[in-house]
Each structure stands twice: as structure tokens, then as C-alpha cells.
Amino acid sequence: MSDAVGRTGFVVTDIERADAATIDALGVHGVATVHEAMGRRGLVGASVRPIQEGTRLAGSAVTVLAWPGDNLMIHAAVEQCRPGDILVVTSVSPSLDGSFGELFATALHHRGVRGLVTTGGVRDVVDLRAMGFAVWSGAINAQGTVKATAGSVNVPITVGGTVVRAGDVIVADDDGVLCVPRGEAASVLSASDARVAKEAASREAYRSGELSLDRNDLRGVLADLGVRYVSERDFTAHDARQD
């Protein structure tokens, strides 16, 4: 489906979603852990940031490809959302207009949608925070939009260099937003579980005083890079000789 990225004029209605328990477990692990577990892939980039703090969740992507300054396809996408989904919106060219606000959030909350990820702008931020609707956006911007141009719903879109397909798992928290391809969700969860167990063992070791240099076998790396341990006196003498 890679050749379908960016196509307009479609509303795809019958998307598949990953197993709900797998999605929820990935959400518990969070962005940093899952990102490392899947080989440091899938981040949408630092330009999409949360408007709230302390929220960690995951859900199935319902994708929207809109035109700049136009939120028509967000209206079309609401109908395609199910409980546990996350709406993921981008535009065919960059736009930070406020295409999403409290009314959309009210409609999506009623349908059980967990949040919004958008490369564009959002407004009514006070209300969004008050109602607890989670948002990761490219901007906060009161600039309004029109409803005039056909885009698409549930086609592959590109968000910050990452391709997001309908039904992929979106993981989002204060660290940013990550896309896990739907077909990899189970294996990525297993890798995330293993990483959490490894980190728990390291945490206990550090609490007992073990150094990360030793636990991760990094002393040899330093030596191979030519890093030397010297006393302050010897270092000062070395600097004097260089002068």
C-alpha cells in the first residue's frame, strides 16, 4: 500500500485493528520503551507535542489526510471511529491552522476515541484539557478553517517521516508519538516486555551501587576509542606541554 500514501478522495470503512489487549499493554510500556524495543523506529518526530502532561495511552489509528486550512475530512472521519481509536491527522502540505477543537473532541469522546495526533493546530485548549481529551499537535492556534476540499480517511499518511496506516497502533505520552505497524504489534509487545524486565534488573543493580559502565561493558568501548584515565596533576601537566 506504500503507493497509496497521500491519495485523496477515499473514505475506507472496514479497517482492521490489532488485538485490544496488545494495544493496551503497549500503552502501559510507553513511547521510549516501545521505540527502543522495535529497533528505534516509528517516531513521528519532535514537532508533534502533547498539550497535556502525564498522559500515556495507545490506540488504533484512524487516519485523515486533509487539505491545508480545511477540516472537512475530520468531520468524515468521526463516523469511522470506534472505542479505543486515536485520530491521526495530517495535511497534503504543511498547515498549522486550528482545524480541531472542543466540539470535535466532544463527538469523539462520545465514540470512545482516546485522543488526537495531528501535525496541524488545535484550539479550545482550555476546554480540551478540562474534559481530559488527550491531544498531540503541531501547534496551538485559534485560526479557523473551512470545509471545502476532498481529502481521505483511513488511507496511509506520512507523519513526520513515518508512514501511518489505518489500524496501526499509536503509542503516545509526554515523550512524543510512536507508530507500531499493526502486523508487528504482538512481536513488539514481546520485545517491550523483555526490555522492561532487563531494565528492572539494571535498576536494582544501580540501586545497589553497580556502575552502568561495568554492567553494560563500556570500559572496553572507552579504551578502544582512546579514552584514558589520568590524574588532575598529570592532565594539567599535559595541558602545559601542549601550550
Side-chain angles (χ1 to χ4, degrees), residues 15-216:
I15 68 170
E16 296 183 16
R17 293 162 170 85
D19 171 71
T22 299
I23 295 171
D24 290 344
L26 288 168
V28 171
H29 285 320
V31 171
T33 294
V34 179
H35 172 57
E36 293 287 347
M38 65 185 288
R40 298 181 179 174
R41 296 178 289 124
L43 288 176
V44 306
S47 62
V48 176
R49 302 299 304 155
I51 67 166
Q52 67 285 316
E53 292 184 350
T55 297
R56 173 177 285 173
L57 52 76
S60 293
V62 169
T63 63
V64 177
L65 181 65
W67 282 79
D70 192 315
N71 69 0
L72 175 63
M73 300 315 295
I74 299 179
H75 287 273
V78 172
E79 183 179 21
Q80 304 306 317
C81 291
R82 298 180 186 174
D85 285 345
I86 294 177
L87 195 65
V88 185
V89 181
T90 194
S91 50
V92 296
S93 61
S95 174
L96 296 178
D97 292 341
S99 61
F100 185 98
E102 177 267 333
L103 288 178
F104 271 140
T106 298
L108 292 173
H109 179 75
H110 173 75
R111 301 181 77 86
V113 174
R114 292 177 173 175
L116 167 77
V117 173
T118 177
T119 59
V122 297
R123 58 185 187 174
D124 303 330
V125 171
V126 170
D127 301 306
L128 294 175
R129 289 171 175 160
M131 67 188 295
F133 190 82
V135 171
W136 288 258
S137 69
I140 294 173
N141 190 354
Q143 175 62 51
T145 56
V146 300
K147 304 165 183 60
T149 312
S152 285
V153 176
N154 284 332
V155 301
I157 61 176
T158 300
V159 183
T162 293
V163 175
V164 180
R165 293 175 171 81
D168 284 349
V169 181
I170 300 298
V171 185
D173 58 25
D174 287 355
D175 291 336
V177 178
L178 175 77
C179 176
V180 180
R182 183 183 65 217
E184 297 181 33
S187 62
V188 170
L189 176 58
S190 295
S192 299
D193 289 341
R195 182 172 181 84
V196 168
K198 180 181 178 181
E199 289 183 347
S202 294
R203 189 175 299 109
E204 288 304 309
Y206 298 154
R207 284 172 177 165
S208 67
E210 186 174 349
L211 293 173
S212 58
L213 276 175
D214 297 318
R215 186 166 184 83
N216 295 299

